[in-house]
Amino acid sequence: MATADRVRRLGWIRRPVLGHTDFNSEIYIVASQVGGFTDEITTAVGCAVGQAIGKVGIVLALRRGSRSRTVQRLRERRERPRKPAGRVQTRLRAWSDRLLELLGDHRWGIPIVFLSACLAIPPLYPVTLAVPATRMSVIPFGVAVFLGRMVLFLAIAFGVSALID
Protein backbone atom coordinates (compact mmCIF):
# COMPACT_ATOMS: atom_id res chain seq x y z
CA MET A 1 0.00 0.00 0.00
CA ALA A 2 1.36 3.41 -0.96
CA THR A 3 2.17 5.98 1.72
CA ALA A 4 -0.45 8.40 0.38
CA ASP A 5 -3.12 5.71 0.76
CA ARG A 6 -2.05 5.03 4.35
CA VAL A 7 -2.17 8.72 5.19
CA ARG A 8 -5.64 9.07 3.64
CA ARG A 9 -6.92 6.07 5.58
CA LEU A 10 -5.64 7.59 8.81
CA GLY A 11 -7.58 10.74 8.00
CA TRP A 12 -4.61 13.09 8.03
CA ILE A 13 -5.51 14.74 4.75
CA ARG A 14 -8.64 16.82 4.50
CA ARG A 15 -10.90 17.01 1.49
CA PRO A 16 -9.51 18.77 -1.60
CA VAL A 17 -9.71 22.54 -1.38
CA LEU A 18 -9.45 24.49 -4.64
CA GLY A 19 -7.63 21.67 -6.41
CA HIS A 20 -5.15 20.62 -3.76
CA THR A 21 -5.17 18.72 -0.50
CA ASP A 22 -3.96 20.34 2.65
CA PHE A 23 -2.57 18.57 5.67
CA ASN A 24 -4.34 18.90 8.95
CA SER A 25 -2.39 21.50 10.95
CA GLU A 26 -3.57 20.16 14.28
CA ILE A 27 -2.09 16.74 13.53
CA TYR A 28 1.18 18.39 12.46
CA ILE A 29 1.34 20.38 15.71
CA VAL A 30 0.69 17.29 17.82
CA ALA A 31 3.31 15.28 15.91
CA SER A 32 5.90 18.05 16.18
CA GLN A 33 5.39 18.31 19.93
CA VAL A 34 5.42 14.57 20.49
CA GLY A 35 8.57 14.23 18.39
CA GLY A 36 10.17 17.28 19.97
CA PHE A 37 11.02 18.78 16.58
CA THR A 38 10.24 22.45 17.31
CA ASP A 39 9.17 24.77 20.07
CA GLU A 40 5.49 25.32 20.75
CA ILE A 41 5.46 28.97 19.68
CA THR A 42 7.39 28.34 16.46
CA THR A 43 5.02 25.59 15.38
CA ALA A 44 1.84 27.48 16.30
CA VAL A 45 2.87 30.75 14.67
CA GLY A 46 4.09 29.02 11.51
CA CYS A 47 0.86 27.08 11.08
CA ALA A 48 -1.25 30.18 11.86
CA VAL A 49 0.63 32.25 9.28
CA GLY A 50 0.20 29.54 6.67
CA GLN A 51 -3.50 29.16 7.28
CA ALA A 52 -4.09 32.92 7.32
CA ILE A 53 -2.29 33.30 3.99
CA GLY A 54 -4.30 30.42 2.54
CA LYS A 55 -7.67 31.79 3.69
CA VAL A 56 -6.87 35.30 2.43
CA GLY A 57 -5.85 33.76 -0.89
CA ILE A 58 -9.19 31.96 -1.12
CA VAL A 59 -11.09 35.19 -0.39
CA LEU A 60 -9.10 37.14 -2.99
CA ALA A 61 -9.51 34.42 -5.60
CA LEU A 62 -13.25 34.25 -5.05
CA ARG A 63 -13.64 38.03 -5.17
CA ARG A 64 -11.66 38.37 -8.38
CA GLY A 65 -13.29 35.33 -9.90
CA SER A 66 -16.73 36.85 -9.46
CA ARG A 67 -15.82 39.54 -12.00
CA SER A 68 -15.03 37.11 -14.80
CA ARG A 69 -17.29 36.97 -17.84
CA THR A 70 -18.06 33.29 -17.37
CA VAL A 71 -19.23 33.82 -13.80
CA GLN A 72 -21.33 36.81 -14.89
CA ARG A 73 -23.07 34.70 -17.54
CA LEU A 74 -23.75 31.92 -15.06
CA ARG A 75 -25.24 34.44 -12.61
CA GLU A 76 -27.52 35.83 -15.30
CA ARG A 77 -28.79 32.34 -16.05
CA ARG A 78 -29.36 31.64 -12.37
CA GLU A 79 -31.30 34.81 -11.71
CA ARG A 80 -34.54 32.99 -12.21
CA PRO A 81 -37.17 33.05 -9.50
CA ARG A 82 -36.46 30.61 -6.70
CA LYS A 83 -38.59 27.53 -6.45
CA PRO A 84 -40.90 27.37 -3.47
CA ALA A 85 -39.03 25.93 -0.54
CA GLY A 86 -40.14 23.90 2.42
CA ARG A 87 -39.92 24.99 6.03
CA VAL A 88 -36.39 23.71 6.58
CA GLN A 89 -34.99 25.30 3.44
CA THR A 90 -36.69 28.59 4.27
CA ARG A 91 -35.13 28.61 7.74
CA LEU A 92 -31.68 27.71 6.36
CA ARG A 93 -31.89 30.51 3.79
CA ALA A 94 -32.95 33.00 6.47
CA TRP A 95 -30.09 31.86 8.73
CA SER A 96 -27.50 32.12 5.97
CA ASP A 97 -28.81 35.56 4.93
CA ARG A 98 -28.54 36.72 8.54
CA LEU A 99 -24.98 35.35 8.82
CA LEU A 100 -23.99 37.24 5.66
CA GLU A 101 -25.47 40.43 7.14
CA LEU A 102 -23.51 39.94 10.37
CA LEU A 103 -20.27 39.16 8.51
CA GLY A 104 -20.65 42.35 6.50
CA ASP A 105 -21.31 44.47 9.60
CA HIS A 106 -18.20 46.28 10.84
CA ARG A 107 -19.04 45.51 14.50
CA TRP A 108 -19.75 41.78 14.19
CA GLY A 109 -17.80 40.56 11.17
CA ILE A 110 -14.33 40.43 12.68
CA PRO A 111 -15.43 38.83 16.01
CA ILE A 112 -17.33 36.16 14.07
CA VAL A 113 -14.25 35.38 11.98
CA PHE A 114 -12.05 35.32 15.11
CA LEU A 115 -14.39 32.91 16.93
CA SER A 116 -14.66 30.82 13.81
CA ALA A 117 -10.86 30.59 13.55
CA CYS A 118 -10.39 29.96 17.25
CA LEU A 119 -13.35 27.76 18.24
CA ALA A 120 -14.73 26.63 14.86
CA ILE A 121 -18.16 28.05 15.72
CA PRO A 122 -19.21 28.49 12.89
CA PRO A 123 -16.63 26.46 10.94
CA LEU A 124 -13.92 28.58 9.33
CA TYR A 125 -14.13 27.10 5.83
CA PRO A 126 -17.77 28.11 5.19
CA VAL A 127 -17.10 31.51 6.75
CA THR A 128 -14.15 31.95 4.39
CA LEU A 129 -16.37 31.10 1.44
CA ALA A 130 -19.03 33.57 2.65
CA VAL A 131 -16.69 36.54 3.23
CA PRO A 132 -16.28 37.45 -0.48
CA ALA A 133 -20.02 38.13 -0.66
CA THR A 134 -19.73 40.74 2.12
CA ARG A 135 -18.11 44.16 2.46
CA MET A 136 -15.45 42.90 4.89
CA SER A 137 -11.93 44.05 4.09
CA VAL A 138 -9.32 41.35 3.45
CA ILE A 139 -6.73 42.74 5.88
CA PRO A 140 -8.91 42.61 9.04
CA PHE A 141 -10.15 39.20 7.89
CA GLY A 142 -6.58 37.92 7.59
CA VAL A 143 -5.58 39.37 10.96
CA ALA A 144 -8.63 37.81 12.66
CA VAL A 145 -7.89 34.42 11.09
CA PHE A 146 -4.22 34.66 12.09
CA LEU A 147 -4.96 35.62 15.70
CA GLY A 148 -7.75 33.07 16.11
CA ARG A 149 -5.70 30.24 14.65
CA MET A 150 -2.69 31.25 16.72
CA VAL A 151 -4.75 31.02 19.92
CA LEU A 152 -6.03 27.59 18.88
CA PHE A 153 -2.64 26.28 17.80
CA LEU A 154 -0.86 27.61 20.90
CA ALA A 155 -3.43 25.87 23.10
CA ILE A 156 -2.91 22.60 21.23
CA ALA A 157 0.91 22.87 21.24
CA PHE A 158 1.22 23.78 24.92
CA GLY A 159 -1.44 21.20 25.88
CA VAL A 160 0.37 18.37 24.10
CA SER A 161 3.71 19.57 25.45
CA ALA A 162 2.33 19.54 28.99
CA LEU A 163 1.02 16.00 28.51
CA ILE A 164 4.35 14.77 27.16
CA ASP A 165 6.64 16.40 29.72
Side-chain angles (χ1 to χ4, degrees):
M1 179 183 298
T3 304
D5 292 333
R6 288 186 190 135
V7 171
R8 279 189 204 100
R9 286 188 181 201
L10 290 173
W12 289 7
I13 296 180
R14 294 183 184 172
R15 63 191 174 283
V17 178
L18 295 178
H20 71 282
T21 55
D22 67 325
F23 286 92
N24 193 328
S25 298
E26 291 85 353
I27 298 293
Y28 174 76
I29 292 169
V30 170
S32 69
Q33 296 310 304
V34 169
F37 303 127
T38 61
D39 293 335
E40 295 89 352
I41 295 175
T42 306
T43 306
V45 171
C47 288
V49 166
Q51 285 214 349
I53 290 171
K55 300 299 181 195
V56 166
I58 290 172
V59 170
L60 290 174
L62 289 174
R63 280 194 177 157
R64 290 198 176 120
S66 67
R67 296 183 196 124
S68 74
R69 290 181 187 172
T70 307
V71 172
Q72 294 296 332
R73 276 189 240 128
L74 288 173
R75 280 188 181 167
E76 289 171 4
R77 288 183 199 166
R78 284 190 179 177
E79 289 183 7
R80 295 174 267 168
R82 285 184 172 176
K83 295 179 182 177
R87 234 175 37 197
V88 174
Q89 281 184 331
T90 304
R91 285 185 182 171
L92 284 174
R93 285 180 186 167
W95 183 82
S96 69
D97 291 343
R98 181 69 179 138
L99 180 63
L100 281 174
E101 284 178 30
L102 289 174
L103 275 174
D105 188 6
H106 65 89
R107 289 176 292 167
W108 294 104
I110 301 303
I112 288 172
V113 172
F114 176 78
L115 288 175
S116 177
C118 187
L119 303 174
I121 301 172
L124 184 59
Y125 188 69
V127 168
T128 302
L129 295 178
V131 165
T134 66
R135 297 176 290 141
M136 183 183 295
S137 176
V138 176
I139 293 172
F141 170 77
V143 170
V145 169
F146 170 70
L147 293 175
R149 284 300 186 182
M150 196 164 60
V151 167
L152 174 67
F153 294 157
L154 283 172
I156 292 170
F158 279 110
V160 170
S161 183
L163 288 175
I164 300 295
D165 294 334

